Amino acid sequence: MGELRIENLSKTYRRKEGWNTTRLLHVFRNISFTVEDGEFVSIIGASGCGKSTLLSMAGGLAEVSDGAIYVDGNPVTGPGLDRGIVFQEFALFPWLTVLGNIAFGLKSKGVPQRQQMEMARKYVDLVGLNGFEDYFPYRLSGGMRQRVGLARALAIEPAALLMDEPFGALDAQTREAMQTALSNIWMKTRNTILFITHDIREAVYLSDRVLVLAGRPAQIALEQKIDLPRPRNRFDPVFQKYELDLERAIGTH
């Protein structure tokens, strides 16, 4: 586990308009926040506000225009095994089994083969896929594939876990089940998680804190601590008040 720190982060795109004109598109500007060791923080906001771009920058997959990102005090300059990433797309290797997919990152870390399988089985158990170790992805449901993706990201034991709308492609029932599963897993592991979602209820259910990105260029319009015991009751009046407050924060910017 570790600390993820964002300092004065900005993202600007240059667009050519005609032969001699360049237009600057400022996605977000001077964003700063810290995800503490073992904390679960979600970012929500309207479509196009830069949520996924920010996470890609934290993952070292997108260029930083200005500012800096640190994991445990070390600057992020590109992809690295100190960060695990789970995307909305399942991104599994179709030629590898569940165990093979989970163990893939361990091989990159230089973990001996026997230990790879031992660790992969540990994370199979953690995400509730016992009995499916030898299945290939095409035989799994969407929720099960996303569990494999989560296990693969966790298996490398990253300092921070980055999740970009990981349940966005799932049906409502499966999505809610995966939220419960992730919450239970997080309570066991206490990983440092930065979670991107457009679903306010999902953010309230999962997070210690929720950040609202709004405006153009986007900035942090609200930082809301979610002071509720876990596991959380989605029908709790306090839970629903958090939802309403966050909805208003998005709608008024």
Side-chain angles (χ1 to χ4, degrees), residues 43 81 85 94-95 125 168 176 212:
I43 297 179
L81 293 174
I85 306 179
W95 60 88
D125 180 62
E176 192 167 299
V212 177

Side-chain angles (χ1 to χ4, degrees), residues 72-144:
D72 282 338
N74 300 310
V76 170
T77 57
L81 293 174
D82 58 345
R83 284 147 289 146
I85 306 179
V86 182
F87 295 107
Q88 181 174 326
E89 300 80 13
F90 305 120
L92 303 181
F93 299 114
W95 60 88
L96 294 179
T97 63
V98 167
L99 269 182
N101 268 284
I102 295 172
F104 183 82
L106 297 172
K107 183 178 180 180
S108 301
K109 288 188 75 173
V111 175
Q113 188 169 6
R114 179 180 294 181
Q115 192 177 348
Q116 288 176 29
M117 290 300 107
E118 290 175 358
M119 293 180 68
R121 290 182 189 280
K122 169 187 170 183
Y123 286 96
V124 162
D125 180 62
L126 181 66
V127 301
L129 286 176
N130 290 305
F132 296 93
E133 293 89 341
D134 297 325
Y135 279 51
F136 288 92
Y138 77 92
R139 299 183 63 190
L140 304 176
S141 68
M144 293 169 77

Side-chain angles (χ1 to χ4, degrees), residues 161-198:
L161 185 62
L162 311 175
M163 307 187 75
D164 188 8
E165 300 203 34
F167 310 140
L170 304 177
D171 64 81
Q173 184 176 357
T174 304
R175 181 177 188 137
E176 192 167 299
M178 286 301 300
Q179 291 166 3
T180 300
L182 177 59
S183 180
N184 291 337
I185 290 167
W186 179 82
M187 284 191 285
K188 292 177 182 177
T189 64
R190 295 291 173 170
N191 286 91
T192 302
I193 297 180
L194 179 61
F195 190 93
I196 303 299
T197 181
H198 66 271

Side-chain angles (χ1 to χ4, degrees), residues 49-64:
C49 72
K51 303 185 298 294
S52 293
T53 299
L54 191 154
L55 185 130
S56 292
M57 293 163 73
L61 303 174
E63 184 180 353
V64 173

